[in-house]
Amino acid sequence: MKSRQEIKKQAKELVAENNLWITMGLPYLIISAIDTLSYFGDRASGLSSALGILQVVYQLCVSLYLFDIVTGHKAKSKTMQEQFSNIFKGLTAQSFKASLLVTLLTCLWFFLPYAIGLGLIISSVITGEVGLLFVLGFGLVVAGITIAIVKGYSYSLAIYLAKEHEDRKLFELVKDSVNRMKGYKSKLFVFNLSFIGWGIGIALTGGLLGFYALPYMLAANTIFATEVMNANQPTDKDKSEKELEVF
């Protein structure tokens, strides 16, 4: 598997070719601008939620398009019009459904301990007994967040596997992702943590830096995913096992 530096270098070269970062970053910039302006309107909350969903779907399209390029399934488009067209064509029904399933599973892992923990915290504050109950509640909240991050990493290959295996069932794809990500979740965490400087820069520039940073980071994460998939191909024994751990 390539090193973190090699993956980042490849990602920078990928988005720089034919100014692909502009095509990928422009919709992000437009959506972010509309979202910022929407705060001054009467229906800010509803519009902001809709734009957030649109942003997530667009990032999914971009990731799958980059996956097609990295894996050689598609040639690199030269014009901005071709790039836009291929970005939206990259999304398949199976990948979209896999993304929804991953989101649902991750939210469930987060919500259950988080809701219980939040309830305990509120109860301790109301009763005035800020002691063991509060600590337990806080621990469950932190556990919910931590578990959601870990499970999100475990399921992170599902959308790409769905792209390559459209005939497979959704839960099979999730199971496959869980097994392939064994031993790589901590590496992905450290890899994502290495972009913290970009995240700070995006915050300090009011999102403007995301025009370049988002395409770059999406490319880097997609390349990381393909590296894991190539380095961790399932064996014949794995394929014959019918009961694989999802949760």
Side-chain angles (χ1 to χ4, degrees), residues 1-214:
M1 182 172 176
K2 294 178 181 177
S3 66
R4 185 164 68 246
Q5 292 74 19
E6 289 174 328
I7 291 175
K8 288 185 173 182
K9 180 182 178 182
Q10 183 181 350
K12 288 179 180 178
E13 292 173 350
L14 176 59
V15 298
E17 190 167 350
N18 300 322
N19 293 318
L20 182 58
W21 67 274
I22 297 178
T23 304
M24 293 191 297
L26 189 59
Y28 161 81
L29 198 62
I30 294 173
I31 294 173
S32 297
I34 296 174
D35 189 25
T36 301
L37 293 173
S38 71
Y39 284 106
F40 300 99
D42 297 329
R43 300 179 180 178
S45 179
L47 180 58
S48 181
S49 298
L51 290 172
I53 294 173
L54 182 61
Q55 187 81 276
V56 171
V57 173
Y58 179 70
Q59 289 182 21
L60 176 61
C61 292
V62 169
S63 295
L64 293 172
Y65 171 62
L66 291 169
F67 178 73
D68 283 338
I69 293 177
V70 174
T71 56
H73 293 156
K74 278 187 180 178
K76 298 175 183 176
S77 304
K78 294 183 178 181
T79 67
M80 182 176 290
Q81 183 177 356
E82 290 176 347
Q83 289 169 351
F84 269 124
S85 177
N86 287 327
I87 284 174
F88 291 106
K89 286 179 180 178
L91 180 63
T92 64
Q94 189 73 341
S95 290
F96 182 70
K97 288 186 286 187
S99 176
L100 291 178
L101 178 59
V102 165
T103 301
L104 175 62
L105 292 175
T106 305
C107 287
L108 287 175
W109 279 110
F110 164 76
F111 180 75
L112 292 176
Y114 181 86
I116 296 172
L118 189 61
L120 292 176
I121 291 174
I122 294 173
S123 297
S124 68
V125 172
I126 293 175
T127 58
E129 299 178 1
V130 183
L132 181 60
L133 199 63
F134 181 87
V135 174
L136 181 59
F138 182 77
L140 284 172
V141 168
V142 174
I145 297 172
T146 304
I147 293 172
I149 293 173
V150 173
K151 292 301 179 181
Y153 285 158
S154 294
Y155 306 148
S156 62
L157 300 181
I159 59 170
Y160 304 110
L161 292 169
K163 179 79 172 178
E164 288 197 324
H165 308 282
E166 296 189 19
D167 57 328
R168 295 178 63 184
K169 296 179 180 179
L170 293 177
F171 275 99
E172 289 181 356
L173 296 168
V174 174
K175 291 174 183 179
D176 195 1
S177 177
V178 169
N179 280 273
R180 293 193 190 214
M181 282 300 295
K182 288 179 179 178
Y184 290 94
K185 293 187 289 293
S186 59
K187 293 180 180 179
L188 180 56
F189 175 76
V190 173
F191 183 71
N192 286 333
L193 199 61
S194 68
F195 291 101
I196 191 170
W198 287 100
I200 294 173
I202 292 172
L204 292 177
T205 58
L208 290 176
L209 187 59
F211 186 29
Y212 172 80
L214 182 64

